[in-house]
Amino acid sequence: EATLPVTAIADLRTGTDGQLYCIRGYVTANTFADVLYLQDSTGGVAIGDFAAEKPPVGTALEIQGILTQENKNAVLKVISYKLPDTSMHRHLPITDVFSTLMNPAIHGGDLVQVEGTVVSFRTDESGAVRKLVLEKNGLFAAVFIDEGIVSNSLGYNDLSERVETGKIFRAIGLVHMREDGVAVVRVRNCDEVVHVPVIRYYWEPALPDNPRVGDPMGLWLITLILSAGFLTCLRRKKIM
């Protein structure tokens, strides 16, 4: 078997359709029925036709396969693979991707994290949440939950019990272009869609520019008042 040079995944995503490539990376998702996802230091990609049992997240893989483009998603279809003798590694999700989420050349197949206010969500016939839209600073991100994706801790899709419009949520998933041309964050586990509670100090209402944090000036004033009271008590004890 001929040895192919290893291609960086970021380069693979803009490679030649139908060409044979070799990549190395670590598994970032193994819960989808159609593909698993692999990522190296340059980016992520979907892996198709992986006939064996999908390895755990963090497992190192070297894969030779044929590159195909499906709805602007780069998919490497496996011809052969091996497990390099190296330790496991879990990639952290990429953050702050709202402005570039729709560009598959930048983020297609990447493990990402988005956070924003829920402006809408959609359920299927069974009542399970399949899509929610998050907004942050006028930008939007669609979060998609495939059939078969569940909470690893509960064994079912529990998002209908938690998701509400107007609340801030954070979601981790893989960037995927759908048939309608919309890029979504494809959730690998419902436990990775979480409510982010608003933090407010009782003496200070939410600030328009940052509703999750109280006013630092208010905190400074309270600290000053408490310190003055403490010093007054110390002076009285010395006089007595």
Side-chain angles (χ1 to χ4, degrees), residues 142-189:
V143 178
F144 192 81
I145 302 92
D146 289 48
E147 283 191 44
I149 297 299
V150 298
S151 159
N152 283 359
S153 58
L154 298 175
Y156 65 95
N157 180 340
D158 67 324
L159 294 180
S160 62
E161 302 169 8
R162 301 188 280 116
V163 172
E164 293 181 29
T165 56
K167 287 189 173 182
I168 297 172
F169 268 75
R170 178 186 301 135
I172 295 173
L174 292 305
V175 178
H176 172 76
M177 293 293 290
R178 290 182 52 75
E179 295 85 351
D180 56 8
V182 175
V184 300
V185 177
R186 197 180 187 194
V187 172
R188 58 186 182 176
N189 173 7

CSV table of all heavy atoms in Angstrom, one decimal, residues 142-189:
chain,number,residue,atom,x,y,z
A,142,ALA,N,-28.0,29.0,14.3
A,142,ALA,CA,-29.0,28.0,14.4
A,142,ALA,C,-28.3,26.7,15.0
A,142,ALA,O,-27.2,26.3,14.5
A,142,ALA,CB,-29.5,27.6,13.0
A,143,VAL,N,-29.0,26.2,16.0
A,143,VAL,CA,-28.5,25.0,16.7
A,143,VAL,C,-29.5,23.8,16.3
A,143,VAL,O,-30.7,24.0,16.5
A,143,VAL,CB,-28.4,25.2,18.2
A,143,VAL,CG1,-28.0,23.9,18.9
A,143,VAL,CG2,-27.5,26.3,18.5
A,144,PHE,N,-28.9,22.7,15.8
A,144,PHE,CA,-29.8,21.7,15.3
A,144,PHE,C,-29.5,20.4,16.1
A,144,PHE,O,-28.4,20.0,16.4
A,144,PHE,CB,-29.5,21.4,13.8
A,144,PHE,CG,-30.5,20.6,13.1
A,144,PHE,CD1,-31.7,21.1,12.6
A,144,PHE,CD2,-30.2,19.2,12.9
A,144,PHE,CE1,-32.6,20.3,12.0
A,144,PHE,CE2,-31.1,18.4,12.3
A,144,PHE,CZ,-32.3,18.9,11.8
A,145,ILE,N,-30.6,19.7,16.4
A,145,ILE,CA,-30.5,18.4,17.1
A,145,ILE,C,-31.1,17.3,16.3
A,145,ILE,O,-32.3,17.2,16.0
A,145,ILE,CB,-31.3,18.5,18.5
A,145,ILE,CG1,-30.7,19.7,19.3
A,145,ILE,CG2,-31.1,17.2,19.2
A,145,ILE,CD1,-31.4,21.0,19.2
A,146,ASP,N,-30.2,16.4,15.8
A,146,ASP,CA,-30.7,15.3,14.9
A,146,ASP,C,-31.5,14.3,15.7
A,146,ASP,O,-31.4,14.2,17.0
A,146,ASP,CB,-29.4,14.5,14.4
A,146,ASP,CG,-28.6,15.3,13.4
A,146,ASP,OD1,-28.3,16.4,13.6
A,146,ASP,OD2,-28.3,14.7,12.4
A,147,GLU,N,-32.4,13.6,15.0
A,147,GLU,CA,-33.0,12.5,15.6
A,147,GLU,C,-32.0,11.5,16.1
A,147,GLU,O,-31.0,11.2,15.4
A,147,GLU,CB,-34.0,11.8,14.7
A,147,GLU,CG,-35.3,12.5,14.4
A,147,GLU,CD,-36.3,11.7,13.7
A,147,GLU,OE1,-36.4,10.5,14.0
A,147,GLU,OE2,-36.9,12.2,12.7
A,148,GLY,N,-32.2,10.9,17.3
A,148,GLY,CA,-31.2,10.0,17.8
A,148,GLY,C,-30.2,10.6,18.8
A,148,GLY,O,-29.5,9.9,19.5
A,149,ILE,N,-30.1,12.0,18.7
A,149,ILE,CA,-29.2,12.7,19.7
A,149,ILE,C,-30.0,12.9,21.0
A,149,ILE,O,-31.1,13.5,21.0
A,149,ILE,CB,-28.7,14.0,19.1
A,149,ILE,CG1,-27.9,13.8,17.8
A,149,ILE,CG2,-27.9,14.8,20.1
A,149,ILE,CD1,-26.7,12.9,18.0
A,150,VAL,N,-29.4,12.5,22.1
A,150,VAL,CA,-30.1,12.5,23.4
A,150,VAL,C,-29.2,13.1,24.4
A,150,VAL,O,-28.0,13.3,24.2
A,150,VAL,CB,-30.6,11.1,23.8
A,150,VAL,CG1,-31.6,10.5,22.8
A,150,VAL,CG2,-29.4,10.1,23.9
A,151,SER,N,-29.7,13.2,25.6
A,151,SER,CA,-28.9,13.6,26.8
A,151,SER,C,-28.2,12.3,27.2
A,151,SER,O,-28.8,11.3,27.5
A,151,SER,CB,-29.8,14.1,27.9
A,151,SER,OG,-29.2,14.0,29.1
A,152,ASN,N,-26.9,12.3,27.3
A,152,ASN,CA,-26.1,11.2,27.7
A,152,ASN,C,-26.4,10.8,29.1
A,152,ASN,O,-26.3,9.6,29.5
A,152,ASN,CB,-24.6,11.4,27.6
A,152,ASN,CG,-24.2,11.3,26.1
A,152,ASN,OD1,-24.9,11.0,25.2
A,152,ASN,ND2,-22.9,11.5,25.9
A,153,SER,N,-26.8,11.8,30.0
A,153,SER,CA,-27.1,11.5,31.4
A,153,SER,C,-28.5,11.0,31.6
A,153,SER,O,-28.8,10.2,32.5
A,153,SER,CB,-26.9,12.7,32.2
A,153,SER,OG,-27.7,13.8,31.8
A,154,LEU,N,-29.5,11.3,30.7
A,154,LEU,CA,-30.9,10.9,30.9
A,154,LEU,C,-31.3,9.9,29.9
A,154,LEU,O,-32.3,9.2,30.1
A,154,LEU,CB,-31.8,12.2,30.8
A,154,LEU,CG,-31.6,13.3,31.8
A,154,LEU,CD1,-32.4,14.5,31.5
A,154,LEU,CD2,-31.8,12.7,33.2
A,155,GLY,N,-30.7,9.8,28.7
A,155,GLY,CA,-31.1,8.8,27.7
A,155,GLY,C,-32.2,9.3,26.8
A,155,GLY,O,-32.7,8.5,26.0
A,156,TYR,N,-32.6,10.6,26.8
A,156,TYR,CA,-33.6,11.1,25.9
A,156,TYR,C,-33.3,12.5,25.7
A,156,TYR,O,-32.6,13.2,26.4
A,156,TYR,CB,-35.0,10.8,26.4
A,156,TYR,CG,-35.4,11.6,27.7
A,156,TYR,CD1,-36.0,12.9,27.6
A,156,TYR,CD2,-35.1,11.1,28.9
A,156,TYR,CE1,-36.3,13.6,28.8
A,156,TYR,CE2,-35.4,11.8,30.1
A,156,TYR,CZ,-36.0,13.0,30.0
A,156,TYR,OH,-36.4,13.7,31.1
A,157,ASN,N,-34.0,13.1,24.6
A,157,ASN,CA,-33.9,14.5,24.3
A,157,ASN,C,-34.7,15.3,25.3
A,157,ASN,O,-36.0,15.3,25.2
A,157,ASN,CB,-34.3,14.8,22.9
A,157,ASN,CG,-34.2,16.2,22.5
A,157,ASN,OD1,-34.1,17.1,23.3
A,157,ASN,ND2,-34.2,16.5,21.2
A,158,ASP,N,-34.1,16.0,26.3
A,158,ASP,CA,-34.8,16.7,27.3
A,158,ASP,C,-34.9,18.2,27.1
A,158,ASP,O,-35.4,18.9,28.0
A,158,ASP,CB,-34.1,16.4,28.7
A,158,ASP,CG,-32.8,17.1,28.8
A,158,ASP,OD1,-32.1,17.1,27.7
A,158,ASP,OD2,-32.4,17.6,29.8
A,159,LEU,N,-34.6,18.7,25.9
A,159,LEU,CA,-34.5,20.1,25.7
A,159,LEU,C,-35.9,20.8,25.8
A,159,LEU,O,-35.9,22.0,26.2
A,159,LEU,CB,-33.9,20.4,24.4
A,159,LEU,CG,-32.4,20.0,24.2
A,159,LEU,CD1,-31.9,20.4,22.8
A,159,LEU,CD2,-31.5,20.7,25.3
A,160,SER,N,-37.0,20.1,25.5
A,160,SER,CA,-38.3,20.7,25.6
A,160,SER,C,-38.6,21.1,27.1
A,160,SER,O,-39.5,21.9,27.4
A,160,SER,CB,-39.4,19.8,25.1
A,160,SER,OG,-39.4,18.6,25.8
A,161,GLU,N,-37.9,20.4,28.0
A,161,GLU,CA,-38.1,20.7,29.5
A,161,GLU,C,-37.3,21.9,29.9
A,161,GLU,O,-37.5,22.4,31.0
A,161,GLU,CB,-37.7,19.5,30.3
A,161,GLU,CG,-38.5,18.2,29.9
A,161,GLU,CD,-37.9,17.0,30.6
A,161,GLU,OE1,-37.0,17.1,31.4
A,161,GLU,OE2,-38.3,15.9,30.2
A,162,ARG,N,-36.4,22.4,29.1
A,162,ARG,CA,-35.4,23.4,29.5
A,162,ARG,C,-35.4,24.7,28.7
A,162,ARG,O,-35.2,25.8,29.2
A,162,ARG,CB,-34.0,22.8,29.6
A,162,ARG,CG,-33.9,21.7,30.5
A,162,ARG,CD,-32.4,21.2,30.7
A,162,ARG,NE,-31.9,20.4,29.6
A,162,ARG,CZ,-30.9,20.8,28.8
A,162,ARG,NH1,-30.3,22.0,29.0
A,162,ARG,NH2,-30.5,20.0,27.9
A,163,VAL,N,-35.6,24.5,27.4
A,163,VAL,CA,-35.4,25.7,26.5
A,163,VAL,C,-36.6,26.6,26.5
A,163,VAL,O,-37.8,26.2,26.4
A,163,VAL,CB,-35.2,25.2,25.0
A,163,VAL,CG1,-35.2,26.3,24.0
A,163,VAL,CG2,-33.9,24.4,24.9
A,164,GLU,N,-36.4,27.9,26.6
A,164,GLU,CA,-37.4,28.9,26.6
A,164,GLU,C,-36.9,30.1,25.8
A,164,GLU,O,-35.7,30.5,25.9
A,164,GLU,CB,-37.8,29.4,28.0
A,164,GLU,CG,-38.5,28.4,28.9
A,164,GLU,CD,-38.8,28.9,30.3
A,164,GLU,OE1,-39.0,30.2,30.4
A,164,GLU,OE2,-38.9,28.1,31.2
A,165,THR,N,-37.7,30.8,25.1
A,165,THR,CA,-37.3,32.0,24.4
A,165,THR,C,-37.0,33.1,25.4
A,165,THR,O,-37.6,33.2,26.5
A,165,THR,CB,-38.4,32.5,23.4
A,165,THR,OG1,-39.6,32.7,24.2
A,165,THR,CG2,-38.7,31.5,22.3
A,166,GLY,N,-36.0,33.9,25.1
A,166,GLY,CA,-35.6,35.0,26.0
A,166,GLY,C,-34.6,34.6,27.0
A,166,GLY,O,-34.0,35.5,27.6
A,167,LYS,N,-34.3,33.3,27.1
A,167,LYS,CA,-33.2,32.9,28.0
A,167,LYS,C,-31.9,32.8,27.2
A,167,LYS,O,-31.9,32.5,26.0
A,167,LYS,CB,-33.5,31.6,28.7
A,167,LYS,CG,-34.6,31.7,29.7
A,167,LYS,CD,-34.8,30.4,30.5
A,167,LYS,CE,-35.7,30.5,31.7
A,167,LYS,NZ,-35.8,29.3,32.5
A,168,ILE,N,-30.8,32.9,27.9
A,168,ILE,CA,-29.5,32.7,27.3
A,168,ILE,C,-29.1,31.3,27.4
A,168,ILE,O,-29.1,30.7,28.5
A,168,ILE,CB,-28.4,33.6,28.1
A,168,ILE,CG1,-28.8,35.1,27.9
A,168,ILE,CG2,-27.0,33.4,27.5
A,168,ILE,CD1,-27.9,36.0,28.7
A,169,PHE,N,-28.7,30.7,26.3
A,169,PHE,CA,-28.2,29.3,26.2
A,169,PHE,C,-26.9,29.3,25.5
A,169,PHE,O,-26.5,30.1,24.7
A,169,PHE,CB,-29.2,28.5,25.4
A,169,PHE,CG,-30.2,27.8,26.3
A,169,PHE,CD1,-31.3,28.6,26.9
A,169,PHE,CD2,-30.2,26.5,26.7
A,169,PHE,CE1,-32.2,28.0,27.7
A,169,PHE,CE2,-31.1,25.9,27.5
A,169,PHE,CZ,-32.1,26.6,28.0
A,170,ARG,N,-26.1,28.2,25.9
A,170,ARG,CA,-24.8,27.9,25.3
A,170,ARG,C,-24.9,26.5,24.7
A,170,ARG,O,-25.5,25.6,25.3
A,170,ARG,CB,-23.7,28.0,26.3
A,170,ARG,CG,-22.3,27.6,25.8
A,170,ARG,CD,-21.3,27.6,26.9
A,170,ARG,NE,-21.3,28.8,27.7
A,170,ARG,CZ,-21.3,29.0,29.0
A,170,ARG,NH1,-21.3,27.9,29.7
A,170,ARG,NH2,-21.2,30.1,29.5
A,171,ALA,N,-24.4,26.4,23.5
A,171,ALA,CA,-24.4,25.1,22.8
A,171,ALA,C,-23.1,24.7,22.2
A,171,ALA,O,-22.4,25.6,21.7
A,171,ALA,CB,-25.5,25.0,21.7
A,172,ILE,N,-22.7,23.5,22.3
A,172,ILE,CA,-21.5,22.9,21.7
A,172,ILE,C,-21.9,21.9,20.6
A,172,ILE,O,-22.8,21.1,20.8
A,172,ILE,CB,-20.6,22.3,22.7
A,172,ILE,CG1,-20.1,23.3,23.7
A,172,ILE,CG2,-19.4,21.6,22.0
A,172,ILE,CD1,-19.3,22.7,24.9
A,173,GLY,N,-21.2,22.0,19.4
A,173,GLY,CA,-21.5,21.1,18.4
A,173,GLY,C,-20.6,21.3,17.2
A,173,GLY,O,-19.6,22.0,17.3
A,174,LEU,N,-20.9,20.6,16.1
A,174,LEU,CA,-20.1,20.6,14.9
A,174,LEU,C,-20.8,21.5,13.8
A,174,LEU,O,-22.0,21.4,13.6
A,174,LEU,CB,-20.0,19.2,14.3
A,174,LEU,CG,-19.1,18.2,15.2
A,174,LEU,CD1,-17.7,18.7,15.4
A,174,LEU,CD2,-19.8,17.8,16.5
A,175,VAL,N,-20.0,22.3,13.1
A,175,VAL,CA,-20.6,23.1,12.0
A,175,VAL,C,-20.9,22.3,10.8
A,175,VAL,O,-20.1,21.5,10.3
A,175,VAL,CB,-19.6,24.2,11.7
A,175,VAL,CG1,-20.1,25.1,10.5
A,175,VAL,CG2,-19.3,25.1,12.9
A,176,HIS,N,-22.1,22.4,10.4
A,176,HIS,CA,-22.6,21.6,9.3
A,176,HIS,C,-23.6,22.4,8.4
A,176,HIS,O,-24.4,23.1,8.9
A,176,HIS,CB,-23.4,20.4,9.9
A,176,HIS,CG,-24.1,19.5,8.9
A,176,HIS,ND1,-23.5,18.6,8.1
A,176,HIS,CD2,-25.5,19.5,8.6
A,176,HIS,CE1,-24.4,18.0,7.3
A,176,HIS,NE2,-25.6,18.5,7.6
A,177,MET,N,-23.3,22.3,7.1
A,177,MET,CA,-24.2,23.0,6.1
A,177,MET,C,-25.4,22.1,5.8
A,177,MET,O,-25.2,20.9,5.3
A,177,MET,CB,-23.4,23.3,4.8
A,177,MET,CG,-22.4,24.4,5.0
A,177,MET,SD,-23.0,26.0,5.4
A,177,MET,CE,-23.8,26.5,3.9
A,178,ARG,N,-26.6,22.6,6.0
A,178,ARG,CA,-27.8,21.8,5.6
A,178,ARG,C,-28.2,22.0,4.2
A,178,ARG,O,-27.6,22.8,3.5
A,178,ARG,CB,-28.9,22.2,6.5
A,178,ARG,CG,-28.7,21.8,8.0
A,178,ARG,CD,-29.9,22.1,8.9
A,178,ARG,NE,-31.2,21.7,8.4
A,178,ARG,CZ,-31.6,20.4,8.4
A,178,ARG,NH1,-30.8,19.5,9.0
A,178,ARG,NH2,-32.8,20.1,8.0
A,179,GLU,N,-29.1,21.1,3.7
A,179,GLU,CA,-29.5,21.2,2.3
A,179,GLU,C,-30.1,22.5,1.9
A,179,GLU,O,-30.0,22.9,0.7
A,179,GLU,CB,-30.6,20.1,2.1
A,179,GLU,CG,-30.2,18.7,2.3
A,179,GLU,CD,-30.2,18.2,3.7
A,179,GLU,OE1,-30.5,19.1,4.6
A,179,GLU,OE2,-30.1,17.0,4.0
A,180,ASP,N,-30.6,23.3,2.8
A,180,ASP,CA,-31.2,24.6,2.5
A,180,ASP,C,-30.1,25.7,2.4
A,180,ASP,O,-30.4,26.9,2.3
A,180,ASP,CB,-32.3,25.0,3.5
A,180,ASP,CG,-31.8,25.0,4.9
A,180,ASP,OD1,-30.6,24.8,5.2
A,180,ASP,OD2,-32.7,25.1,5.8
A,181,GLY,N,-28.8,25.3,2.6
A,181,GLY,CA,-27.7,26.3,2.6
A,181,GLY,C,-27.5,27.0,3.8
A,181,GLY,O,-26.7,28.0,3.9
A,182,VAL,N,-28.1,26.6,4.9
A,182,VAL,CA,-27.9,27.3,6.2
A,182,VAL,C,-26.9,26.5,7.0
A,182,VAL,O,-27.0,25.2,7.2
A,182,VAL,CB,-29.3,27.4,7.0
A,182,VAL,CG1,-29.0,28.0,8.4
A,182,VAL,CG2,-30.2,28.3,6.2
A,183,ALA,N,-25.9,27.2,7.6
A,183,ALA,CA,-25.0,26.5,8.5
A,183,ALA,C,-25.6,26.4,9.9
A,183,ALA,O,-26.1,27.4,10.4
A,183,ALA,CB,-23.7,27.3,8.5
A,184,VAL,N,-25.5,25.2,10.5
A,184,VAL,CA,-26.0,25.0,11.8
A,184,VAL,C,-24.9,24.4,12.7
A,184,VAL,O,-23.9,23.8,12.2
A,184,VAL,CB,-27.2,24.0,11.8
A,184,VAL,CG1,-28.3,24.6,11.0
A,184,VAL,CG2,-26.8,22.6,11.3
A,185,VAL,N,-25.1,24.5,14.0
A,185,VAL,CA,-24.3,23.8,14.9
A,185,VAL,C,-25.0,22.5,15.3
A,185,VAL,O,-26.1,22.5,15.9
A,185,VAL,CB,-24.1,24.7,16.2
A,185,VAL,CG1,-23.3,23.9,17.2
A,185,VAL,CG2,-23.4,26.0,15.9
A,186,ARG,N,-24.4,21.5,14.9
A,186,ARG,CA,-25.0,20.1,15.0
A,186,ARG,C,-24.6,19.5,16.3
A,186,ARG,O,-23.5,19.1,16.6
A,186,ARG,CB,-24.5,19.3,13.8
A,186,ARG,CG,-25.3,18.0,13.6
A,186,ARG,CD,-24.6,17.3,12.4
A,186,ARG,NE,-25.5,16.1,12.0
A,186,ARG,CZ,-25.0,15.2,11.2
A,186,ARG,NH1,-23.8,15.2,10.7
A,186,ARG,NH2,-25.9,14.2,10.8
A,187,VAL,N,-25.6,19.5,17.3
A,187,VAL,CA,-25.3,19.0,18.6
A,187,VAL,C,-25.0,17.6,18.7
A,187,VAL,O,-25.7,16.7,18.1
A,187,VAL,CB,-26.5,19.4,19.5
A,187,VAL,CG1,-26.4,18.8,20.9
A,187,VAL,CG2,-26.7,20.9,19.6
A,188,ARG,N,-24.0,17.2,19.5
A,188,ARG,CA,-23.6,15.8,19.6
A,188,ARG,C,-24.2,15.2,20.9
A,188,ARG,O,-24.1,13.9,21.0
A,188,ARG,CB,-22.1,15.6,19.6
A,188,ARG,CG,-21.4,16.4,20.7
A,188,ARG,CD,-19.9,16.4,20.6
A,188,ARG,NE,-19.3,17.1,21.7
A,188,ARG,CZ,-18.0,17.2,22.0
A,188,ARG,NH1,-17.1,16.6,21.2
A,188,ARG,NH2,-17.5,17.9,23.0
A,189,ASN,N,-24.7,16.0,21.8
A,189,ASN,CA,-25.2,15.5,23.1
A,189,ASN,C,-26.0,16.6,23.7
A,189,ASN,O,-25.6,17.7,23.8
A,189,ASN,CB,-24.0,15.2,24.0
A,189,ASN,CG,-24.3,14.8,25.4
A,189,ASN,OD1,-25.5,14.7,25.8
A,189,ASN,ND2,-23.3,14.7,26.3
